[in-house]
Structure formats: structure tokens, C-alpha cells
Amino acid sequence: MRLQLLFFLSLSALVRKGENANDAERRMHPVFSLTESGSNFRGRSKRAMPQIVFDALRAEERYAEYWQGLATQTLEQQLESKSRLNTQLARNVMLFIGDGMSIPTITAGRVYLGGEEKQFAFEQFPYVGLSKTYCANMQVADSACTATAYLGGVKANYGTIGVSAAVQFKDCQAQALPEHRVSSIAAWAQKKGMATGLVTTTSVTHASPAGVYAHLANRNWENDAEVAGDNGDPTLCPDAASQLINSPVGQMLNVIMGGGRENFLPRSDTDASGAPGRRLDGRNLIEVWKNQHTNSAHYVENRRELLSLSNQTSRVLGLFAPYHMDYHLDANAAEQPTLEEMVQVAMDILERQSAGRGYFLFVEGGRIDHGHHDTLALRAIDETAEFDKAVRFARSHTSTDDTLIVVSSDHSHTMSLAGYSSRKNDIFGINDGQLAADDLPYATLSYANGPGYASNILREGGAVKRKNLRAINMKNKDFMFPSTVPLESETHGGDDVAVFASGPYAQLFSGVYEQHFIPHALGYASCISDRNMCIDGGVARSPR
């Protein structure tokens, strides 16, 4: 009786003035009636309970046996994949991060692939978990503190990379103290003689890849001009590009691929595209890298050069853009390699150079995040599809017996997928099941905040009205999707992100856990962390 009373009290708190509990329930959870007349767009109602018909996608979906058959198939797959735990040594480890790849991004991406029932390659991995992404000092994280977590195993402050939470944002003096530096899983791997590499679609000095090799009090210190601009001392607090070329971890990386040429060149120089460098110290760090390594190390700037590398290549520095690489939808396919192509080359080099000791590869689909920040949902989701192609290649060209692949995100975004649309309704279009209270259609995808606010409203005589989306080409890759709160840049979200795992000890990644647990689990499976399966199992990590 007490439970019933509590239920009705809580429900009554949600009831609008003059509305009874049953009416409130119907308003919040509208039921769609299966009537033929409702399938027409003009027949849609703005009322809370639109009377609409959406036929099943396929005739067989009308029957219970169809869904029961699918459930049985999934049960068999689950039983088979989880009946035997894989506790072998993870000789190779690959960590794929879709920057800003929130769970709604994955859901919308399935429809982009062809339908709600579709799956990304990483969704077929047998183990799935949730990672809590907050920074040591912030509720909603950025890509810097999260990189320190999933690569270094330590929660850090917002905007800082590869340092503990003892270092505050922009604190050059604290950055310089060795006791504040956090070593990454790449450093752990190198100590065990493993080959290592990083691949990204952003600048290689950006927050996520910098977590592999750098220790920075400010993620924006990608070149020495940025350090000096914050009144820092570049000799005391070297920038990300300098650390990539000169730090012990950076120097030992076999593979470095992404954008960011401008951060390695002095202001007096220009790159192949004519873009000027940004360095104040007059150093050409690309030339420094060439001089550090043997003739089997190669610097490349375009797709042709990358795909023409010989099978004798021991190291590669590939910088394919002045700053970030182009979105896949904008890229010149003849000049810019895809993420999948970069991963293919990286895996070939790492496998050869590992000499049987295994390798660690970090891969970032970095421009998912940038699409979301500009509320360019089409770009963000297309980048997600490209990211998945790289994952698919990696998993199909390695064995689950000795290669652990983990796919996750650093943080989420504020994009949501909402409304009562029909199956396979255009994910980038308008909701086809309901009009809004202003008699106008609304987008299936929208953001809680961001620059899409101004581009989706009209101001008339002091009044603010929404634009009619039926008159707008929402499939334009530059269309900014609607935002509720006007902001110059859409923010990250604070919700958990998914973690998908396949290979040795993938079972460690099920459950809900702090993001900084990830590298510890990777290290355990590959015997490169302090606590590992070799110690627990009494085995040795020896060359194959």
C-alpha cells in the first residue's frame, strides 16, 4: 500500500495543472494507432497522441516467430562467445578511440549504414562495458584529461595531458616536475620491447594522440608559440611537437600518422600546400626526425607516398595536412589516405618491427568530435562510419587468440535522437511521425546546445520562430542541426561511453568502471603493467 501511495505521489508531481494522472501518462507516452490515413505527412497531428500507421519494414516482421528466431540466434552467439574465457597472452594490443563517439552517435550511425538493425563491426565484439569519463576536477570531460585516463591510467585535470591532478591548467612549473608526469601504456609497451605507433585524423599533436607521448599543462601547447603565448617557457615546458620528436617515447614510436605539419615547421617555412609553419624556435622538427633515424625511416605527406612505402620501412612519420586532416566527405581521395589505409600500413610496419614481441597501436577517429562541436551531424556520423572501417580491417586481419582490440570513446556529446519516426526514416531528415506545437516539423537529430541555434530560427518583429525544415536541404553536409541553447561551439556530454572488446582478456572490459581502468586492463592482458596475467599465471612474455 505504501509503495502504491509513493507511486501516485511521484506521478502527481509530474501532472500539469488541471490534468489528471491518466491524461499525464498519455501525454508523456503517446500511443500510435495503426490506421492507414495516418501514414500521410499532411495527416500528422501535433497533438500528444498522433494517430499514425507505420507498416512493419518487412512482411515477416509482423509475426512473432521472426523475432523469436532472431532472439534464438543471438542467444546461440552469446553462449558460444562466452562459454570459454580467453586467458591467453595479448601479444598485440590496439586501442581505437572514436573521439566524441557517444552512444546516440552509434545509434544514428546504424541508420546511416542502412537501418536500425545494422551493426558496426565493433558492435559485434563479444564484450561491452561502460566507461565513466569525468575529469579529476570537472563533471564533463575534455579530450585531454580523458587521454591521460585511457592511456595513462590516471584521472587528470581538465585541459592537461600526461600529468597527474597535481598539475593545474597552464601551470608550466608543475608540468616540469618529474614526479607529476604520468607514463602512458605506449611507454610501458616500449619497455617490454614492443613496437608502438599512433594514427589519428587530427593533428598528431592534438589532445588524444598527445596522450601517447606528451606531458602538458595545457593541451593547446601544440607548438612553442602557444607556450610562449601563455607566458610559459618553452625550454622548461616543451610543446607537444617537440616532445613527439625529442622525448624517449616519441623517438621510439615506429608509426606516427595524422595531420599537423604546421606545428613542426618554423614560421619562415611553408609546407607542400603553402601553409606556413608556426614555430618560433626556427627549428624544422621534420628534418630533426629524419636525422634521428636510419634510411629505413621515411617521412610521407600524401596517400601515394604512404601506399608506396617499401616493406623494409622501419618507421614512418606521415603528416598529411597543415593541421587536422580533412573530413572524409571533403577529402581529395587521391591525396589524403583514409583512416583504414593508415591503419593497414601501420599494422604492416608494427608487425614486422615487433620481431615477435608484439605491438601497441593507438588509433583515433578524431573528427567525429569536430563534426559534433559544429552541430554538423552528417559529418560526425560519416566519420564514425569511416572509423568503423578501420576497426573492421584490424579485427579481420588479426587473430583473437593473440590480439586484443578495444574500441571506445573519450567522451560523449549533446546530440540526441528523438521523436516517433518510422523505421529507416532519413536519420538526417525531419521526424515523419509528428509535428511540433508550432505546426512545424522537427529534426530527428538535435543538440542540447551549439551553433545550430541561430541557423534554425527566424526573428520577425521581435518574435523568434523556428525555420520550416521542409524548406531546407538537411542532407547538405554543412547543415547545422538545431540546438536548444545558443553557443559558439557545442559542448561535450557527461554521460558514460561504451567500451567494446575482442581478444585475450576482453572479458575484463564488461561492466561499468572508471575510464582510467582501461590501460590497466590492457596492460594486464599484455603483461606490460605492474599487475599482469604473466605474474598471476606464472608465464613469461617472450618473443613468438
Side-chain angles (χ1 to χ4, degrees):
M1 189 69 184
R2 178 177 171 79
L3 287 175
Q4 288 179 321
L5 177 61
L6 288 173
F7 169 76
F8 283 113
L9 285 174
S10 62
L11 185 61
S12 65
L14 300 173
V15 174
R16 292 176 175 175
K17 187 175 181 180
E19 184 180 47
N20 65 40
N22 287 331
D23 289 340
E25 174 61 23
R26 292 187 180 94
R27 170 175 55 81
M28 290 183 285
H29 304 107
V31 176
F32 294 87
S33 175
L34 300 180
T35 59
E36 283 298 327
S37 60
S39 61
N40 190 311
F41 181 94
R42 296 176 187 172
R44 287 186 294 146
S45 169
K46 68 177 181 178
R47 295 171 61 84
M49 296 180 64
Q51 306 295 298
I52 301 170
V53 61
F54 290 132
D55 289 334
L57 202 59
R58 293 184 293 269
E60 60 266 30
E61 292 187 2
R62 298 179 181 180
Y63 304 102
E65 291 80 5
Y66 171 79
W67 301 105
Q68 291 165 349
L70 279 183
T72 299
Q73 181 181 347
T74 303
L75 179 61
E76 292 295 334
Q77 292 171 347
Q78 290 287 79
L79 290 170
E80 181 180 356
S81 67
K82 295 176 174 63
S83 61
R84 182 182 64 86
L85 295 181
N86 184 344
T87 57
Q88 300 183 78
L89 169 69
R91 193 171 301 279
N92 308 314
V93 173
M94 286 186 263
L95 177 59
F96 284 78
I97 294 293
D99 196 314
M101 189 177 70
S102 60
I103 292 175
T105 301
I106 296 171
T107 304
R110 296 181 196 134
V111 186
Y112 184 56
L113 292 181
E116 294 80 1
E117 73 284 358
K118 298 294 184 181
Q119 280 189 310
F120 286 110
F122 55 79
E123 291 186 276
Q124 298 168 34
F125 287 6
Y127 292 95
V128 182
L130 289 174
S131 164
K132 298 191 284 185
T133 63
Y134 63 90
C135 303
N137 66 338
M138 294 282 279
Q139 195 171 66
V140 176
D142 78 321
S143 294
C145 77
T146 53
T148 309
Y150 63 72
L151 287 166
V154 171
K155 290 267 188 182
N157 289 329
Y158 185 93
T160 66
I161 303 171
V163 291
S164 71
V167 177
Q168 296 298 322
F169 186 58
K170 294 186 179 182
D171 190 341
C172 177
Q173 297 291 329
Q175 173 186 316
L177 297 176
E179 60 266 30
H180 292 163
R181 295 173 193 159
V182 174
S183 63
S184 76
I185 187 172
W188 310 348
Q190 289 173 355
K191 288 180 180 178
K192 296 295 184 180
M194 296 170 68
T196 52
L198 68 85
V199 174
T200 180
T201 52
T202 67
S203 170
V204 296
T205 55
H206 208 236
S208 301
V212 171
Y213 60 84
H215 310 283
L216 296 165
N218 184 350
R219 58 175 289 171
N220 296 323
W221 291 349
E222 297 185 57
N223 58 67
D224 62 337
E226 295 290 347
V227 180
D230 279 336
N231 297 315
D233 180 356
T235 61
L236 181 65
C237 297
D239 58 275
S242 179
Q243 290 189 48
L244 178 54
I245 301 303
N246 298 310
S247 72
V249 175
Q251 287 183 343
M252 291 183 69
L253 289 171
N254 299 87
V255 172
I256 304 166
M257 291 191 215
R261 288 191 296 258
E262 65 181 23
N263 294 314
F264 296 83
L265 297 174
R267 288 185 172 179
S268 58
D269 288 1
T270 57
D271 68 6
S273 69
R278 299 195 62 198
R279 302 197 64 78
L280 296 178
D281 58 11
R283 303 182 73 201
N284 183 325
L285 294 181
I286 296 171
E287 292 300 321
V288 172
W289 182 88
K290 291 179 182 178
N291 293 331
Q292 286 176 347
H293 302 294
T294 66
N295 292 335
S296 61
H298 298 285
Y299 171 68
V300 295
E301 287 190 342
N302 57 53
R303 180 176 182 269
R304 177 186 55 79
E305 292 174 349
L306 177 68
L307 300 184
S308 298
L309 288 172
S310 77
N311 59 11
Q312 301 300 312
T313 300
S314 62
R315 298 179 191 276
V316 62
L317 172 61
L319 301 178
F320 304 107
Y323 194 38
H324 300 315
M325 295 176 67
D326 289 335
Y327 286 107
H328 167 250
L329 291 174
D330 298 331
N332 180 340
E335 289 294 315
Q336 179 175 293
T338 65
L339 184 61
E340 180 183 13
E341 289 171 335
M342 291 192 287
V343 168
Q344 290 178 21
V345 174
M347 289 173 60
D348 285 343
I349 293 173
L350 293 175
E351 182 61 40
R352 288 197 306 269
Q353 295 304 307
S354 69
R357 292 184 295 270
Y359 59 81
F360 169 77
L361 176 61
F362 172 74
V363 181
E364 183 200 23
R367 305 225 62 191
I368 302 169
D369 175 70
H370 298 163
H372 280 318
H373 278 305
D374 288 332
T375 64
L376 300 172
L378 176 55
R379 292 181 187 271
I381 292 169
D382 181 75
E383 289 294 309
T384 304
E386 287 298 301
F387 173 75
D388 184 61
K389 291 177 184 177
V391 176
R392 184 182 300 276
F393 177 88
R395 184 69 287 173
S396 64
H397 287 76
T398 52
S399 171
T400 55
D401 290 340
D402 67 357
T403 301
L404 172 61
I405 299 180
V406 172
V407 178
S408 188
S409 177
D410 48 355
H411 53 72
S412 69
H413 271 274
T414 72
M415 187 194 80
S416 66
L417 187 157
Y420 303 108
S421 290
S422 61
R423 286 273 298 279
K424 292 197 177 181
N425 182 50
D426 185 353
I427 195 65
F428 302 114
I430 59 175
N431 180 288
D432 69 349
Q434 186 180 41
L435 290 176
D438 56 5
D439 287 319
L440 293 173
Y442 60 93
T444 300
L445 300 179
S446 63
Y447 291 83
N449 56 54
Y453 176 85
S455 61
N456 283 278
I457 62 168
L458 294 170
R459 297 182 186 276
E460 298 177 351
V464 176
K465 300 179 179 180
R466 292 192 309 124
K467 288 182 179 179
N468 187 344
L469 293 176
R470 282 174 288 193
I472 297 174
N473 178 15
M474 297 172 68
K475 293 297 288 288
N476 185 319
K477 62 186 178 181
D478 293 318
F479 173 70
M480 289 184 175
F481 278 71
S483 309
T484 303
V485 176
L487 283 178
E488 181 180 3
S489 177
E490 180 262 0
T491 69
H492 295 165
D495 35 313
D496 297 351
V497 295
V499 183
F500 307 87
S502 170
Y505 282 96
Q507 61 270 20
L508 295 179
F509 295 91
S510 60
V512 181
Y513 38 80
E514 302 288 353
Q515 190 173 50
H516 74 279
F517 163 75
I518 290 174
H520 295 283
L522 295 173
Y524 182 91
S526 56
C527 293
I528 61 175
S529 58
D530 292 339
R531 170 80 187 277
N532 62 68
M533 62 84 63
C534 291
I535 293 174
D536 288 357
V539 298
R541 185 182 222 292
S542 55
R544 187 166 47 202

